[in-house]
Amino acid sequence: MKKGIHPESYRLVVFKDMSNETMWLSKSCANTKETVVYTDGNEYPVIKLEISNTSHPFFTGKLKLVDTAGRVDKFMSKYKKYAKKN
């Protein structure tokens, strides 16, 4: 490996899936300002995820619509004037 190109600041970080509140502890060098108390009672930096293997339909086998950004609402409001009025 080349020296000096890999980060030196690896630390324990909690990753949290916001769709089902699952949390797990891993090492990361990603920056974050928020913290959370993990199940072991210690406080760690937290990285929030919208979807992970615990909530993705491919891994769970359950089909569900994930629309955290409100894409459907944006589309409906944008094209509302073109809808037929009955």
Side-chain angles (χ1 to χ4, degrees), residues 51-77:
I51 195 164
S52 70
N53 64 326
T54 61
S55 61
H56 194 280
F58 179 80
F59 297 105
T60 61
K62 299 176 184 174
L63 181 64
K64 72 177 184 179
L65 177 65
V66 177
D67 184 30
T68 57
R71 289 181 221 124
V72 174
D73 293 331
K74 287 180 187 177
F75 178 84
M76 296 302 280
S77 64

Side-chain angles (χ1 to χ4, degrees), residues 7-43:
E8 299 281 334
S9 61
Y10 284 104
R11 66 193 189 289
L12 289 174
V13 175
V14 172
F15 289 89
K16 183 176 183 180
D17 186 340
M18 298 307 291
S19 63
N20 61 7
E21 301 296 319
T22 303
M23 294 190 298
W24 64 93
L25 190 61
S26 183
K27 286 192 172 185
S28 176
C29 61
N31 293 328
T32 181
K33 294 180 181 178
E34 297 179 47
T35 60
V36 69
V37 176
Y38 191 58
T39 56
D40 64 359
N42 295 324
E43 189 172 354

